[in-house]
Amino acid sequence: MTLPERIRTVIKRFLALLHPCAYGELGSKDSLGKIVEDLEKDIAFLIGAEKAKAAKTEFVKSFANIRRLVETDIDAAYEGDPAATSRMEIVMAYPGLLAVTIHRIAHELYLLKVPIIPRIMSELAHSKTGIDIHPGAAIGEHFFIDHGTGVVIGETCVIGKNVKLYQGVTLGAKSFVKDPETGALIKGIKRHPNVEDNVVIYSGATILGGETTIGKGSEIGGNVWLMESVPPNSRVYNKPPAPEIRSI
């Protein structure tokens, strides 16, 4: 079994642990300890046994908070979508929750400096849902992606609490800074925007740049293109063209 195949299995096991009614198998005795022990073997292959053991210990400590965050994301979806009939429907059928749940797991591994595996997790979610969240993105609690297809969230994004995104939103980089001497891309710099608490970003909006901040309580309308910050409680919309009416 290849590494991506093993990580796919691990993700399924984590989902069963977080949502046993939706993903669990009747009579399963799988546990967090068993899952993480299996994951540790792949981590050890990448960074060595000692570092892998330390990463495993810290990840286990963080799992209660992952579970808490996922519960807030379920609440955000239920409270934010009038079409949602139950929290169970959200767990079983909403691609936004699936992508964000996998991100919560991948992000903790990213913070522990585990290479490759977090990115594999994010790409598995991307291929399943059409939602591309880099594992480095820091996302606060009570986060909801509605519909979701085409959403892109870059590595250095920082997203606050109670944020809602619609389909086709891009939180990306303005450009790629290169070393003037070698021409190589300079990595590890802040490239993606900050989105503060209680922000709603509607479908097709594109927000770019590491120095760009969307102030708390703001609304960004559909198909808006932003490369500069907006203050708290802003309303940013494109002015629609006047409709042309012709006789038939």
XYZ file of all heavy atoms in Angstrom, residues 102-192:
696
model
N -11.017 17.388 7.936
C -9.704 16.861 7.544
C -8.633 17.922 7.754
O -7.522 17.625 8.214
C -9.740 16.365 6.091
C -10.676 15.143 5.979
C -8.336 16.001 5.593
C -10.933 14.674 4.571
N -8.983 19.182 7.463
C -8.010 20.260 7.691
C -7.636 20.366 9.165
O -6.457 20.604 9.495
C -8.558 21.596 7.215
C -7.671 22.742 7.592
N -6.493 23.014 6.927
C -7.754 23.661 8.596
C -5.905 24.045 7.490
N -6.650 24.449 8.508
N -8.591 20.228 10.060
C -8.289 20.326 11.495
C -7.218 19.301 11.895
O -6.328 19.600 12.695
C -9.557 20.090 12.322
C -10.700 21.062 12.095
C -10.399 22.441 12.557
N -11.589 23.315 12.538
C -11.528 24.634 12.669
N -10.373 25.245 12.822
N -12.632 25.360 12.658
N -7.309 18.107 11.337
C -6.325 17.065 11.625
C -4.987 17.402 10.980
O -3.928 17.366 11.615
C -6.839 15.706 11.115
C -8.128 15.322 11.856
C -5.774 14.619 11.274
C -8.914 14.213 11.187
N -5.025 17.750 9.697
C -3.794 18.046 8.957
C -3.055 19.243 9.551
O -1.811 19.263 9.604
C -4.125 18.303 7.487
N -3.801 20.243 10.002
C -3.186 21.451 10.536
C -2.374 21.152 11.803
O -1.277 21.691 11.991
C -4.255 22.500 10.834
C -3.709 23.794 11.351
N -2.902 24.617 10.591
C -3.843 24.416 12.559
C -2.572 25.694 11.299
N -3.122 25.583 12.497
N -2.894 20.281 12.660
C -2.140 19.933 13.871
C -0.827 19.240 13.517
O 0.220 19.504 14.118
C -2.983 19.034 14.776
C -4.087 19.757 15.510
C -3.575 20.850 16.438
O -2.476 20.681 17.009
O -4.258 21.878 16.575
N -0.870 18.352 12.525
C 0.365 17.696 12.086
C 1.323 18.696 11.449
O 2.548 18.604 11.632
C 0.031 16.569 11.110
C -0.750 15.395 11.721
C -1.236 14.460 10.619
C 0.101 14.637 12.727
N 0.783 19.661 10.720
C 1.598 20.720 10.125
C 2.311 21.517 11.222
O 3.510 21.824 11.111
C 0.709 21.632 9.293
C 1.391 22.832 8.676
C 1.922 22.768 7.387
C 1.486 24.037 9.372
C 2.529 23.872 6.820
C 2.095 25.147 8.807
C 2.611 25.062 7.538
O 3.217 26.163 6.987
N 1.581 21.861 12.279
C 2.179 22.618 13.395
C 3.280 21.822 14.080
O 4.230 22.409 14.629
C 1.100 22.998 14.410
C 0.037 24.003 13.949
C -0.983 24.232 15.062
C 0.668 25.328 13.530
N 3.159 20.503 14.048
C 4.179 19.637 14.649
C 5.337 19.363 13.694
O 6.207 18.553 13.999
C 3.530 18.318 15.075
C 2.523 18.438 16.234
C 1.746 17.146 16.404
C 3.232 18.827 17.526
N 5.320 20.062 12.547
C 6.392 19.977 11.547
C 6.532 18.571 10.938
O 7.631 18.142 10.562
C 7.728 20.456 12.129
C 7.675 21.891 12.635
C 9.035 22.410 13.038
C 8.958 23.810 13.632
N 8.294 24.788 12.750
N 5.411 17.885 10.856
C 5.397 16.619 10.127
C 5.340 16.937 8.638
O 4.427 17.640 8.194
C 4.180 15.765 10.527
C 4.076 14.523 9.644
C 4.267 15.382 12.002
N 6.309 16.470 7.840
C 6.305 16.795 6.408
C 5.365 15.887 5.612
O 4.998 14.796 6.047
C 7.763 16.551 5.998
C 8.222 15.464 6.933
C 7.497 15.695 8.240
N 4.986 16.356 4.465
C 4.305 15.593 3.407
C 2.905 15.103 3.795
O 1.925 15.326 3.060
C 5.156 14.393 2.918
C 6.509 14.889 2.388
C 4.429 13.586 1.851
C 7.476 13.784 2.025
N 2.768 14.436 4.935
C 1.495 13.824 5.316
C 0.367 14.841 5.410
O -0.730 14.579 4.883
C 1.662 13.008 6.620
C 2.488 11.762 6.339
C 0.302 12.631 7.216
C 2.862 10.961 7.568
N 0.561 16.011 6.054
C -0.539 16.976 6.082
C -0.999 17.404 4.688
O -2.200 17.578 4.446
C 0.049 18.162 6.868
C 1.124 17.565 7.704
C 1.702 16.467 6.873
N -0.044 17.550 3.775
C -0.401 17.964 2.418
C -1.147 16.852 1.679
O -2.071 17.115 0.906
C 0.850 18.385 1.645
C 0.538 19.106 0.338
C -0.293 20.366 0.596
N -0.788 20.962 -0.628
C -0.166 21.943 -1.294
N 0.968 22.443 -0.835
N -0.679 22.435 -2.388
N -0.756 15.601 1.921
C -1.503 14.487 1.342
C -2.943 14.515 1.839
O -3.899 14.336 1.066
C -0.837 13.144 1.684
C 0.508 13.009 0.959
C -1.752 11.970 1.303
C 1.298 11.777 1.359
N -3.121 14.776 3.136
C -4.465 14.846 3.700
C -5.292 15.942 3.037
O -6.452 15.736 2.670
C -4.390 15.092 5.208
C -3.885 13.915 6.001
S -3.819 14.279 7.778
C -3.437 12.665 8.443
N -4.676 17.103 2.872
C -5.412 18.220 2.274
C -5.776 17.935 0.827
O -6.858 18.311 0.358
C -4.613 19.521 2.380
O -3.491 19.515 1.526
N -4.913 17.251 0.110
C -5.210 16.930 -1.283
C -6.253 15.829 -1.408
O -7.029 15.794 -2.380
C -3.930 16.551 -2.027
C -3.026 17.743 -2.310
C -3.760 18.859 -3.043
O -4.466 18.586 -4.031
O -3.646 20.016 -2.608
N -6.298 14.917 -0.443
C -7.378 13.932 -0.432
C -8.719 14.631 -0.240
O -9.710 14.301 -0.904
C -7.145 12.905 0.683
C -5.980 11.928 0.453
C -5.723 11.107 1.707
C -6.269 11.006 -0.724
N -8.759 15.611 0.668
C -9.983 16.389 0.866
C -10.327 17.188 -0.382
O -11.493 17.280 -0.780
C -9.823 17.321 2.067
N -9.309 17.763 -1.018
C -9.498 18.566 -2.229
C -10.105 17.708 -3.342
O -11.065 18.108 -4.016
C -8.142 19.135 -2.653
C -8.182 20.031 -3.831
N -7.043 20.359 -4.549
C -9.200 20.680 -4.452
C -7.375 21.170 -5.532
N -8.682 21.374 -5.501
N -9.556 16.522 -3.537
C -10.047 15.662 -4.617
C -11.472 15.188 -4.355
O -12.242 14.962 -5.289
C -9.117 14.458 -4.794
O -9.136 13.628 -3.659
N -11.834 15.061 -3.092
C -13.177 14.584 -2.729
C -14.216 15.693 -2.780
O -15.361 15.455 -3.175
C -13.122 13.992 -1.321
C -14.434 13.438 -0.785
C -14.779 12.120 -1.434
C -15.999 11.489 -0.769
N -16.392 10.223 -1.424
N -13.846 16.920 -2.409
C -14.830 17.988 -2.208
C -14.701 19.166 -3.157
O -15.622 19.989 -3.243
C -14.718 18.536 -0.775
O -13.450 19.202 -0.625
C -14.841 17.440 0.260
N -13.549 19.311 -3.826
C -13.304 20.505 -4.638
C -12.893 21.708 -3.805
O -12.797 22.827 -4.327
N -12.608 21.491 -2.517
C -12.197 22.563 -1.601
C -10.723 22.368 -1.277
O -10.316 21.310 -0.788
C -13.045 22.528 -0.312
C -14.519 22.770 -0.630
C -12.534 23.544 0.707
C -15.461 22.455 0.515
N -9.918 23.391 -1.544
C -8.460 23.298 -1.420
C -8.005 24.163 -0.248
O -7.903 25.388 -0.374
C -7.815 23.762 -2.732
C -6.303 23.610 -2.739
O -5.735 23.158 -1.726
O -5.689 23.948 -3.766
N -7.737 23.536 0.894
C -7.259 24.250 2.079
C -5.847 23.768 2.379
O -5.635 22.593 2.689
C -8.152 24.008 3.309
C -9.626 24.227 2.987
C -7.713 24.921 4.463
C -10.560 23.878 4.146
N -4.875 24.665 2.313
C -3.512 24.271 2.666
C -3.464 23.964 4.158
O -4.059 24.683 4.971
C -2.526 25.396 2.334
C -1.101 24.957 2.403
N -0.432 24.756 3.594
C -0.203 24.652 1.426
C 0.806 24.375 3.352
N 0.968 24.290 2.042
N -2.759 22.908 4.564
C -2.738 22.548 5.983
C -2.125 23.617 6.886
O -2.342 23.601 8.105
C -1.906 21.252 6.024
C -1.161 21.220 4.731
C -2.026 21.932 3.740
N -1.382 24.555 6.308
C -0.800 25.617 7.131
C -1.787 26.692 7.534
O -1.523 27.461 8.479
N -2.914 26.805 6.866
C -3.874 27.870 7.163
C -4.401 27.728 8.592
O -4.786 26.636 9.019
C -5.026 27.827 6.173
N -4.407 28.845 9.327
C -4.916 28.855 10.701
C -6.362 29.316 10.678
O -6.658 30.438 10.252
C -4.074 29.785 11.567
N -7.271 28.457 11.132
C -8.709 28.720 11.017
C -9.345 28.618 12.397
O -9.226 27.595 13.079
C -9.373 27.728 10.046
C -8.743 27.854 8.643
C -10.869 27.974 9.976
C -9.267 26.844 7.634
N -10.052 29.669 12.785
C -10.704 29.704 14.080
C -11.942 28.830 14.141
O -12.371 28.239 13.153
N -12.538 28.790 15.309
C -13.703 27.939 15.534
C -14.943 28.469 14.820
O -14.987 29.601 14.371
C -13.983 27.830 17.027
C -14.364 29.140 17.683
C -14.486 29.024 19.192
O -13.620 28.382 19.823
O -15.442 29.598 19.749
N -15.945 27.591 14.711
C -17.254 27.960 14.163
C -17.109 28.453 12.714
O -17.598 29.499 12.331
C -17.889 29.044 15.042
C -19.390 28.998 15.070
N -20.163 29.824 14.304
C -20.258 28.225 15.766
C -21.442 29.583 14.542
N -21.531 28.615 15.416
N -16.441 27.624 11.892
C -16.126 27.972 10.506
C -17.032 27.180 9.575
O -17.224 25.978 9.749
C -14.662 27.634 10.229
C -14.187 27.961 8.841
C -14.238 29.254 8.362
C -13.664 26.967 8.029
C -13.776 29.558 7.086
C -13.194 27.257 6.749
C -13.260 28.559 6.279
N -17.580 27.854 8.573
C -18.520 27.201 7.655
C -18.210 27.579 6.224
O -18.104 28.756 5.892
C -19.955 27.605 8.013
C -21.022 27.016 7.120
C -20.904 25.743 6.585
C -22.166 27.740 6.825
C -21.897 25.198 5.772
C -23.170 27.214 6.019
C -23.032 25.944 5.486
N -18.048 26.556 5.377
C -17.938 26.747 3.933
C -19.219 26.212 3.320
O -19.477 25.003 3.350
C -16.721 26.011 3.347
C -15.424 26.500 3.992
C -16.667 26.201 1.842
C -14.186 25.750 3.526
N -20.039 27.091 2.762
C -21.321 26.697 2.185
C -21.136 26.339 0.707
O -20.495 27.081 -0.034
C -22.333 27.830 2.334
C -23.771 27.354 2.213
O -23.972 26.155 1.942
O -24.685 28.177 2.396
N -21.680 25.226 0.289
C -21.533 24.679 -1.072
C -20.089 24.246 -1.301
O -19.811 23.073 -1.450
C -22.007 25.663 -2.145
C -23.412 26.134 -1.920
N -24.487 25.285 -1.986
C -23.895 27.360 -1.602
C -25.596 25.955 -1.723
N -25.275 27.219 -1.483
N -19.161 25.194 -1.391
C -17.754 24.857 -1.257
C -16.938 24.691 -2.520
O -15.748 24.973 -2.511
N -17.509 24.220 -3.605
C -16.706 23.919 -4.792
C -15.869 25.127 -5.218
O -16.378 26.231 -5.346
C -17.612 23.504 -5.959
O -18.423 22.410 -5.551
C -16.797 23.097 -7.166
N -14.586 24.896 -5.427
C -13.710 25.948 -5.921
C -13.117 26.855 -4.867
O -12.369 27.779 -5.202
N -13.384 26.625 -3.591
C -12.766 27.427 -2.531
C -11.282 27.092 -2.435
O -10.889 25.923 -2.455
C -13.461 27.177 -1.177
C -12.635 27.733 -0.017
C -14.844 27.808 -1.170
N -10.445 28.143 -2.324
C -9.006 27.978 -2.155
C -8.559 28.834 -0.975
O -8.821 30.038 -0.944
C -8.232 28.400 -3.423
C -6.727 28.294 -3.194
C -8.658 27.561 -4.630
N -7.882 28.217 -0.020
C -7.374 28.923 1.161
C -5.884 28.633 1.266
O -5.471 27.481 1.437
C -8.103 28.468 2.440
C -9.617 28.714 2.311
C -7.538 29.190 3.664
C -10.424 28.189 3.477
N -5.066 29.688 1.147
C -3.623 29.526 1.082
C -2.956 29.245 2.415
O -3.536 29.418 3.492
N -1.692 28.866 2.327
C -0.911 28.384 3.473
C -0.840 29.359 4.633
O -0.936 28.969 5.795
C 0.510 28.052 2.997
C 1.433 27.582 4.109
C 2.854 27.386 3.635
O 3.215 27.904 2.551
O 3.618 26.708 4.344
N -0.657 30.647 4.347
C -0.417 31.610 5.427
C -1.669 32.414 5.782
O -1.571 33.443 6.451
C 0.746 32.548 5.073
O 0.431 33.273 3.874
C 2.034 31.772 4.863
N -2.837 31.950 5.357
C -4.092 32.595 5.769
C -4.283 32.459 7.271
O -3.973 31.418 7.863
C -5.285 31.932 5.085
S -5.620 32.558 3.445
N -4.817 33.505 7.863
C -5.250 33.454 9.259
C -6.714 33.867 9.275
O -7.048 34.995 8.897
C -4.408 34.380 10.153
C -4.924 34.336 11.587
C -2.934 33.995 10.101
N -7.572 32.960 9.688
C -9.017 33.177 9.671
C -9.527 33.133 11.103
O -9.211 32.199 11.854
C -9.712 32.107 8.805
C -9.226 32.207 7.349
C -11.225 32.255 8.867
C -9.759 31.119 6.452
N -10.329 34.119 11.469
C -10.837 34.216 12.828
C -12.043 33.330 13.084
O -12.316 32.367 12.360
N -12.785 33.674 14.122
C -13.957 32.903 14.534
C -15.201 33.336 13.753
O -15.310 34.472 13.315
C -14.221 33.104 16.029
C -13.069 32.694 16.933
C -13.403 33.033 18.380
C -12.244 32.694 19.309
N -12.543 33.052 20.722
N -16.120 32.391 13.623
C -17.448 32.685 13.054
C -17.366 33.263 11.636
O -18.061 34.223 11.303
C -18.216 33.656 13.957
C -18.316 33.169 15.388
O -18.625 32.013 15.628
N -18.032 34.050 16.331
N -16.521 32.676 10.824
C -16.356 33.117 9.433
C -17.113 32.160 8.517
O -17.113 30.944 8.721
C -14.864 33.185 9.052
C -14.681 33.429 7.557
C -14.162 34.284 9.854
N -17.741 32.728 7.490
C -18.503 31.936 6.529
C -18.046 32.272 5.124
O -17.968 33.439 4.744
C -19.999 32.242 6.674
C -20.918 31.438 5.763
C -22.375 31.775 6.058
C -23.347 30.959 5.229
N -24.759 31.294 5.545
N -17.711 31.249 4.344
C -17.317 31.407 2.945
C -18.313 30.665 2.062
O -18.815 29.607 2.425
C -15.927 30.821 2.680
C -14.752 31.222 3.567
C -13.479 30.560 3.052
C -14.597 32.726 3.627
N -18.537 31.220 0.880
C -19.339 30.535 -0.125
C -18.424 29.981 -1.223
O -17.208 30.203 -1.227
C -20.381 31.487 -0.712
C -21.550 31.742 0.217
C -21.474 32.710 1.218
C -22.725 31.001 0.101
C -22.545 32.938 2.080
C -23.796 31.227 0.954
C -23.694 32.196 1.928
O -24.758 32.408 2.785
N -19.015 29.287 -2.177
C -18.263 28.613 -3.229
C -17.429 29.604 -4.050
O -17.796 30.749 -4.247
C -19.209 27.833 -4.158
C -20.155 28.683 -4.994
C -21.448 29.022 -4.290
O -21.552 28.927 -3.076
N -22.446 29.421 -5.073
N -16.309 29.114 -4.539
C -15.493 29.899 -5.451
C -14.667 31.000 -4.817
O -14.034 31.783 -5.535
N -14.613 31.068 -3.498
C -13.798 32.097 -2.835
C -12.330 31.697 -2.889
O -11.965 30.546 -2.648
C -14.241 32.275 -1.367
C -13.224 33.108 -0.582
C -15.613 32.922 -1.303
N -11.469 32.672 -3.200
C -10.026 32.465 -3.180
C -9.393 33.405 -2.165
O -9.578 34.622 -2.239
C -9.404 32.727 -4.564
O -9.910 31.773 -5.500
C -7.885 32.609 -4.508
N -8.652 32.834 -1.225
C -7.818 33.608 -0.303
C -6.380 33.265 -0.680
O -5.814 32.265 -0.228
C -8.131 33.225 1.146
C -9.596 33.400 1.580
C -9.788 32.919 3.019
C -10.052 34.849 1.440
N -5.822 34.099 -1.570
C -4.568 33.726 -2.214
C -3.460 34.750 -2.075
O -3.546 35.698 -1.295
N -2.419 34.567 -2.868
C -1.237 35.428 -2.848
C -1.278 36.399 -4.023
O -1.776 36.069 -5.098
C 0.030 34.583 -2.924
N -0.724 37.594 -3.813
C -0.642 38.584 -4.890
C 0.343 38.144 -5.962
O 0.076 38.191 -7.145
C -0.177 39.936 -4.329
C -1.247 40.752 -3.646
C -0.635 42.096 -3.257
C -1.631 42.954 -2.486
N -1.012 44.241 -2.084
N 1.532 37.791 -5.516
C 2.595 37.406 -6.439
C 3.600 36.583 -5.651
O 3.509 36.467 -4.426
C 3.276 38.643 -7.039
O 3.834 39.442 -6.000
N 4.574 36.048 -6.340
C 5.572 35.213 -5.686
C 6.921 35.942 -5.690
O 7.489 36.209 -6.749
C 5.682 33.868 -6.394
C 4.384 33.108 -6.395
C 3.593 33.065 -7.534
C 3.941 32.469 -5.259
C 2.385 32.383 -7.539
C 2.731 31.782 -5.245
C 1.959 31.737 -6.389
N 7.394 36.251 -4.488
C 8.647 36.996 -4.341
C 9.824 36.073 -4.636
O 9.894 34.943 -4.127
C 8.769 37.576 -2.919
C 10.063 38.368 -2.781
C 7.562 38.451 -2.603
N 10.765 36.565 -5.448
C 11.928 35.770 -5.826
C 13.208 36.384 -5.288
O 13.321 37.604 -5.147
C 12.017 35.647 -7.346
C 10.873 34.866 -7.974
C 11.075 34.687 -9.472
C 9.945 33.864 -10.084
N 10.130 33.661 -11.536
N 14.165 35.529 -4.987
C 15.493 35.980 -4.578
C 16.133 36.695 -5.765
O 16.246 36.127 -6.857
C 16.336 34.780 -4.160
C 17.682 35.183 -3.594
O 18.482 35.810 -4.332
O 17.951 34.875 -2.425
N 16.580 37.960 -5.585
C 17.128 38.707 -6.719
C 18.399 38.103 -7.292
O 18.729 38.336 -8.461
C 17.386 40.095 -6.128
C 17.454 39.894 -4.656
C 16.550 38.750 -4.351
N 19.110 37.330 -6.495
C 20.374 36.755 -6.966
C 20.172 35.417 -7.668
O 20.755 35.156 -8.724
C 21.344 36.584 -5.799
C 21.793 37.912 -5.172
C 22.802 37.716 -4.074
O 23.177 36.547 -3.810
O 23.210 38.719 -3.469
N 19.337 34.560 -7.081
C 19.177 33.206 -7.630
C 17.930 33.053 -8.500
O 17.837 32.129 -9.302
C 19.099 32.172 -6.497
O 17.891 32.404 -5.730
C 20.304 32.291 -5.571
N 16.949 33.943 -8.308
C 15.693 33.815 -9.031
C 14.755 32.778 -8.443
O 13.662 32.558 -8.963
N 15.166 32.141 -7.338
C 14.325 31.124 -6.688
C 13.244 31.790 -5.851
O 13.431 32.894 -5.327
C 15.188 30.221 -5.808
N 12.110 31.118 -5.722
C 11.036 31.640 -4.889
C 11.484 31.700 -3.429
O 12.131 30.780 -2.927
C 9.796 30.749 -4.984
C 9.067 30.711 -6.332
C 7.913 29.717 -6.260
C 8.548 32.085 -6.712
N 11.148 32.802 -2.763
C 11.428 32.930 -1.333
C 10.257 32.337 -0.568
O 9.114 32.779 -0.707
C 11.638 34.413 -0.941
C 12.835 34.990 -1.709
C 11.850 34.547 0.561
C 13.049 36.472 -1.475
N 10.552 31.338 0.244
C 9.497 30.628 0.957
C 9.463 31.047 2.422
O 10.389 31.639 2.949
C 9.691 29.117 0.820
C 9.700 28.679 -0.642
C 9.628 27.195 -0.815
C 9.575 26.828 -2.301
N 9.356 25.391 -2.534
N 8.342 30.744 3.073
C 8.212 31.017 4.495
C 7.791 32.433 4.835
O 7.867 32.834 5.995
N 7.338 33.205 3.846
C 6.881 34.565 4.124
C 5.351 34.596 4.090
O 4.711 33.712 3.544
C 7.456 35.582 3.121
C 7.015 35.244 1.694
C 8.971 35.645 3.217
C 7.426 36.280 0.666
N 4.800 35.640 4.698
C 3.343 35.794 4.747
C 2.844 36.235 3.375
O 3.168 37.304 2.886
C 3.009 36.832 5.817
C 1.546 37.239 5.903
C 0.680 36.187 6.530
C -0.697 36.785 6.865
N -1.775 35.846 6.702
N 2.017 35.387 2.727
C 1.584 35.648 1.357
C 0.069 35.790 1.223
O -0.396 36.287 0.214
C 2.041 34.505 0.426
C 3.499 34.193 0.487
C 3.920 33.134 -0.512
N 3.134 31.916 -0.463
C 3.296 30.948 0.428
N 4.194 31.074 1.379
N 2.553 29.856 0.383
N -0.656 35.308 2.218
C -2.116 35.195 2.097
C -2.819 36.060 3.135
O -2.258 36.376 4.172
C -2.519 33.722 2.246
C -1.803 32.814 1.299
N -0.693 32.077 1.669
C -2.002 32.548 -0.013
C -0.260 31.380 0.629
N -1.037 31.655 -0.410
